[in-house]
Amino acid sequence: MNKILIATSSGPVNVNSQGFYCYFLDYLQRIGKMNNVVAIALIFTKWDKYKSGTKDDFVNQNCLNLKNALQAIVNRNHNIKAAYFTHSLGIFNEQTRSYTYNSSDMNEIYDWLMDVLPYQN
């Protein structure tokens, strides 16, 4: 797993990607910027839909701390919506090394965004 170096007032801290996102969300909360947040979406772009298990299984097994951090933010800030999605370009063709694009994942993300974002008239 890749490590990310975060410079803090107490010195550098090495974290994995889950730790980085938890740190970033906590940072937004500490500096009062969570008031400006409408929605938080996690998009897993390297998801292999043909593996066994669901995205919920993946999140629970690999990102449980991040899932819990998001839930705590939503519980404290009822105006913030949070969700996680998988995203795949489509079916990969080994012979041509190309994808057949499938828009269903993008449609799901777009529909969610349109549902949670405030409209301005």
Side-chain angles (χ1 to χ4, degrees):
M1 183 170 288
N2 293 336
K3 295 287 182 182
I4 299 168
L5 182 65
I6 300 174
T8 69
S9 59
S10 305
V13 176
N14 277 310
V15 296
N16 61 23
S17 55
Q18 176 181 211
F20 171 76
Y21 291 114
C22 287
Y23 175 86
F24 181 70
L25 292 170
D26 181 59
Y27 174 74
L28 290 177
Q29 187 75 33
R30 284 185 284 123
I31 65 170
K33 293 297 182 184
M34 217 35 99
N35 299 331
N36 301 333
V37 174
V38 175
I40 302 169
L42 299 178
I43 302 170
F44 299 99
T45 58
K46 297 294 183 185
W47 179 260
D48 182 357
K49 288 187 172 188
Y50 303 103
K51 287 183 177 179
S52 62
T54 65
K55 65 183 174 186
D56 294 319
D57 295 333
F58 177 82
V59 169
N60 288 332
Q61 292 171 7
N62 298 288
C63 309
L64 189 57
N65 290 340
L66 183 53
K67 176 185 175 183
N68 291 340
L70 280 174
Q71 188 59 53
I73 288 169
V74 170
N75 289 345
R76 284 192 308 269
N77 306 280
H78 299 289
N79 58 319
I80 297 176
K81 306 293 185 238
Y84 46 91
F85 302 92
T86 58
H87 185 268
S88 173
L89 290 176
I91 298 171
F92 183 67
N93 183 321
E94 290 284 342
Q95 292 177 319
T96 62
R97 303 206 44 80
S98 63
Y99 287 89
T100 302
Y101 180 67
N102 180 343
S103 65
S104 61
D105 286 350
M106 188 56 71
N107 289 340
E108 180 185 13
I109 296 166
Y110 178 82
D111 290 345
W112 181 79
L113 285 171
M114 292 300 100
D115 188 47
V116 299
L117 292 177
Y119 291 101
Q120 295 182 4
N121 294 328

